[in-house]
Amino acid sequence: MTEHESTSFAELVALAFTAEQEDAKTLWVPLAQQFDREGPEAAKEYLSSQRQLLATEVNKLLGQVKERIDE
């Protein structure tokens, strides 16, 4: 068995990022972990839920900006 065969996808993803890419790593590693645990459909669901959380946060922030502009 080669080293890559015993290494999980999430570990390979984590190793692909440098210290300067920590923000990207925090996005991709949980997705890869979900893929490892439950497969591609679960990873798609994870992405969908993260997309919804991001949209909600963006809308909240836009609302705050609009309130400040209207003051």
Side-chain angles (χ1 to χ4, degrees):
M1 183 180 262
T2 67
E3 179 181 340
H4 287 295
E5 289 178 33
S6 64
T7 305
S8 73
F9 179 61
E11 291 169 327
L12 292 173
V13 169
L15 293 171
F17 293 99
T18 65
E20 293 82 25
Q21 298 171 316
E22 191 63 32
D23 288 339
K25 185 177 178 179
T26 62
L27 294 171
W28 285 102
V29 170
L31 175 63
Q33 290 169 335
Q34 187 68 21
F35 183 90
D36 280 343
R37 282 191 301 269
E38 299 181 38
E41 286 304 313
K44 286 179 186 178
E45 289 177 23
Y46 174 83
L47 279 177
S48 180
S49 68
Q50 291 300 307
R51 185 180 302 117
Q52 184 59 45
L53 289 172
L54 181 59
T56 300
E57 185 64 23
V58 167
N59 285 328
K60 177 182 154 190
L61 292 172
L62 283 173
Q64 291 174 358
V65 169
K66 287 178 184 178
E67 285 177 12
R68 288 182 181 172
I69 290 172
D70 292 340
E71 289 180 351

